[in-house]
Amino acid sequence: MLTADKKKYTIDDYLMLEEGAPFQLINYDLIMSPSPLPIHQQILYALSEIIVLYNIQHGRKGQWLYSPMDVKFDVGNIVQPDILYIAEDRKKELIKDRIEGAPDLIVEILSPSNAYYDLRQKKDIYEKYGVKEYIIIDPIQQNADLYILKERAYVLEQKAQLTEVLKSVLLPGFDIEVSKLFQ
């Protein structure tokens, strides 16, 4: 909760930051994150391979983008998801100087410095603004959670353990063998 002496930051403050500055604007607060741990980047690379194979097998439809990529939800919320997907028919609507509005799918890889935001505040923002599918990868637990938006609220659709396959509801055939993320 904001106190009288705490500054309420907006998009104007955010845009004054140096390009590439490790900040996100979450609920009118500038949140700084250190660079990701190697395990985070290894998982990101493994997910990139899965995405490339998915595009080869199913035809490139829509747009996949990786952090750092600003996603503006409102004047007090600009975040940088690890991975986002925008359906083909929504690309012109959302892709401008930054992404403006809710992507169709967001993937976040938890890190010690960002887990609280990914699991709570950013999840609430994604839910509020209509991100249809939200995948959370947990390097410590070596699992993945898939939330889908039903009646404007997230429902845990699947919790995939290390030996299981996470299956997207939004993108049939976009399956993540969880064990491949941690090799």
Side-chain angles (χ1 to χ4, degrees):
M1 182 168 198
L2 293 173
T3 60
D5 60 340
K6 184 174 180 184
K7 181 169 175 32
K8 185 176 177 179
Y9 295 96
T10 67
I11 187 172
D12 295 328
D13 300 304
Y14 183 83
L15 293 176
M16 289 175 42
L17 296 171
E18 182 179 321
E19 185 176 331
F23 285 93
Q24 298 182 79
L25 181 63
I26 301 175
N27 295 322
Y28 297 94
D29 195 11
L30 284 174
I31 307 299
M32 182 179 178
S33 297
S35 65
L37 298 174
I39 184 68
H40 181 282
Q41 297 305 86
Q42 291 163 351
I43 293 168
L44 185 63
Y45 181 81
L47 281 168
S48 299
E49 290 180 323
I50 292 166
I51 290 167
V52 167
L53 289 174
Y54 173 79
N55 282 337
I56 289 169
Q57 294 169 353
H58 295 88
R60 185 183 171 116
K61 298 175 188 145
Q63 182 69 58
W64 293 92
L65 297 166
Y66 300 83
S67 184
M69 174 56 57
D70 288 342
V71 178
K72 177 187 171 199
F73 288 97
D74 61 30
V75 297
N77 290 292
I78 301 175
V79 299
Q80 295 182 355
D82 291 315
I83 299 175
L84 64 93
Y85 170 81
I86 298 171
E88 187 68 34
D89 62 338
R90 298 184 67 231
K91 284 171 36 176
K92 287 184 182 174
E93 169 191 344
L94 297 179
I95 300 176
K96 312 230 185 314
D97 289 340
R98 67 188 49 78
I99 307 304
E100 295 187 13
D104 294 285
L105 178 147
I106 286 180
V107 179
E108 294 282 13
I109 304 163
L110 300 181
S111 291
S113 66
N114 72 11
Y116 167 77
Y117 296 103
D118 290 345
L119 293 170
R120 299 282 185 220
Q121 292 186 328
K122 287 170 72 175
K123 183 180 174 203
D124 291 347
I125 293 165
Y126 299 160
E127 180 180 66
K128 176 182 177 181
Y129 287 96
V131 175
K132 297 172 188 170
E133 195 165 281
Y134 181 36
I135 297 172
I136 300 171
I137 310 291
D138 186 335
I140 294 171
Q141 297 294 318
Q142 294 190 330
N143 64 19
D145 294 344
L146 170 67
Y147 291 89
I148 59 170
L149 200 59
K150 285 189 178 175
E151 299 177 19
R152 300 180 56 123
Y154 276 136
V155 174
L156 180 60
E157 176 72 14
Q158 184 184 4
K159 186 173 201 69
Q161 301 301 324
L162 187 61
T163 59
E164 298 174 327
V165 176
L166 185 95
K167 296 179 175 283
S168 172
V169 174
L170 181 69
L171 299 171
F174 182 58
D175 301 339
I176 301 170
E177 288 182 51
V178 177
S179 64
K180 293 201 185 262
L181 301 177
F182 302 102
Q183 295 179 344

